[in-house]
């Protein structure tokens, strides 16, 4: 994206949109890696049933910040692909959906470029990412065939998903039917879609800290600050966020399985796969 020095903290222009930016060279050097920590996806007795996992992806790229600039975002590849990889190895197939039915958007600048296993998995699911189902159509057809819902992270999860009635309906169905919901980083913003419902009151989760989001413009990861704090809003629904920083922490509370950041992608995948193999029996 640029030939600038690795110490440059200026956000990099996205030529596809006026006043839109990718993360700075410096922030990419700090928060992305050419190889992921994918490992431990060994499940000798995989799931053989018919239930799938519904992945709800981000379908918007540009997140408006407080200074009028756009952050060029989407779903984070590591936060998407590592949990999916583990669950796939554990025997669970995926259906991919977005709110609009438009393609899933990715923060492709965070793809581990030298990680052939992750890139190969992305290529395998790329047809579904490119042509996902519309979430409303999935709901209309019934959700009984799903063992879990997966909402990946990346700042793209802050756009449209938290206010979607369809996302809210899917999450309320999962809560009412004891289905698992798996998410990490900014993905838990999707829980806001249940509005003022009490279904999550008292749940403990991991999520990306608001305080850390507030510091990212200092290194040019984002071109401006967020216009709202998703963690703060989650607390008004009765959630307790158990992490203050990002260490790769994951947490299960009943049917919610969550992680704190891209560092948690592999850990979340392992926890989710092991949990579903134990709990999903049909």
């Amino acid at each position: 994206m640029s030939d600038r020095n690795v110490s440059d903290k200026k956000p990099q222009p996205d030529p596809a949109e006026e006043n839109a930016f990718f993360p700075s060279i410096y922030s990419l050097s700090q928060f992305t890696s050419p190889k992921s920590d994918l490992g431990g996806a060994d499940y000798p007795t995989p799931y053989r049933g018919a239930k799938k996992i519904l992945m709800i992806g981000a379908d918007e790229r540009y997140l408006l910040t407080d200074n009028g600039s756009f952050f060029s975002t989407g779903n984070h590849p590591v936060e998407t692909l590592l949990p999916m990889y583990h669950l796939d190895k554990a025997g669970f197939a995926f259906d991919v959906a977005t709110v609009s039915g438009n393609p899933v958007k990715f923060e492709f600048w965070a793809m581990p470029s030298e990680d052939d296993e992750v890139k190969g998995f992305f290529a395998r699911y790329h047809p579904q990412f490119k042509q996902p189902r519309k979430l409303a159509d999935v709901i209309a057809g019934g959700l009984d065939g799903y063992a879990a819902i997966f909402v990946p992270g990346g700042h793209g999860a802050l756009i449209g998903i938290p206010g979607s009635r369809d996302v809210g309906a899917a999450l309320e169905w999962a809560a009412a039917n004891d289905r698992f919901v798996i998410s990490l980083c900014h993905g838990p913003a999707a829980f806001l879609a249940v509005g003022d419902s009490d279904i999550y009151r008292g749940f403990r989760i991991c999520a990306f800290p608001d305080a850390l989001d507030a510091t990212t413009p200092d290194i040019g990861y984002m071109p401006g600050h967020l216009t709202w704090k998703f963690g703060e809003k989650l607390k008004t629904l009765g959630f307790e966020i158990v992490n203050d920083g990002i260490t790769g922490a994951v947490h299960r509370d009943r049917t919610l399985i969550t992680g704190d950041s891209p560092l948690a992608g592999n850990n979340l995948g392992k926890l989710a796969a092991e949990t579903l193999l134990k709990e999903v029996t049909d």
Side-chain angles (χ1 to χ4, degrees), residues 21-208:
F21 298 89
F22 299 111
S24 67
I25 292 289
Y26 174 80
S27 64
L28 290 179
S29 75
Q30 299 299 302
F31 294 118
T32 66
S33 174
K35 289 204 173 180
S36 76
D37 65 344
L38 178 65
D42 183 18
Y43 306 102
T45 310
Y47 175 68
R48 300 296 186 189
K51 284 189 169 65
K52 296 182 177 182
I53 297 173
L54 177 62
M55 184 275 225
I56 301 176
D59 57 6
E60 295 283 351
R61 170 138 347 259
Y62 295 109
L63 177 64
L64 186 65
T65 69
D66 67 339
N67 61 16
S69 62
F70 288 109
F71 179 40
S72 185
T73 181
N75 282 135
H76 192 289
V78 169
E79 295 173 12
T80 305
L81 300 174
L82 269 61
M84 288 182 69
Y85 184 96
H86 276 271
L87 288 159
D88 178 88
K89 288 292 186 181
F92 293 93
F94 285 84
D95 284 341
V96 177
T98 61
V99 171
S100 65
N102 291 330
V104 178
K105 304 300 192 296
F106 279 93
E107 296 173 331
F108 208 72
W109 38 261
M111 179 69 75
S113 59
E114 297 175 13
D115 198 321
D116 291 340
E117 198 70 22
V118 175
K119 290 169 62 181
F121 188 79
F122 174 80
R124 181 177 151 198
Y125 269 94
H126 187 255
Q128 283 202 61
F129 295 144
K130 189 175 181 180
Q131 292 185 302
R133 300 181 63 187
K134 187 173 182 178
L135 182 57
D137 294 340
V138 177
I139 294 170
L143 298 173
D144 287 345
Y146 296 106
I149 294 171
F150 173 47
V151 185
H155 283 83
L158 300 179
I159 313 170
I161 290 175
S164 166
R165 292 182 179 179
D166 293 322
V167 173
L171 295 175
E172 288 173 356
W173 172 88
N177 290 275
D178 293 320
R179 297 304 208 273
F180 289 95
V181 178
I182 304 157
S183 192
L184 73 168
C185 203
H186 292 85
F191 300 151
L192 297 171
V194 303
D196 57 3
S197 169
D198 284 332
I199 62 173
Y200 291 134
R201 193 158 298 279
F203 275 83
R204 305 175 81 235
I205 61 169
C206 287
F208 196 83

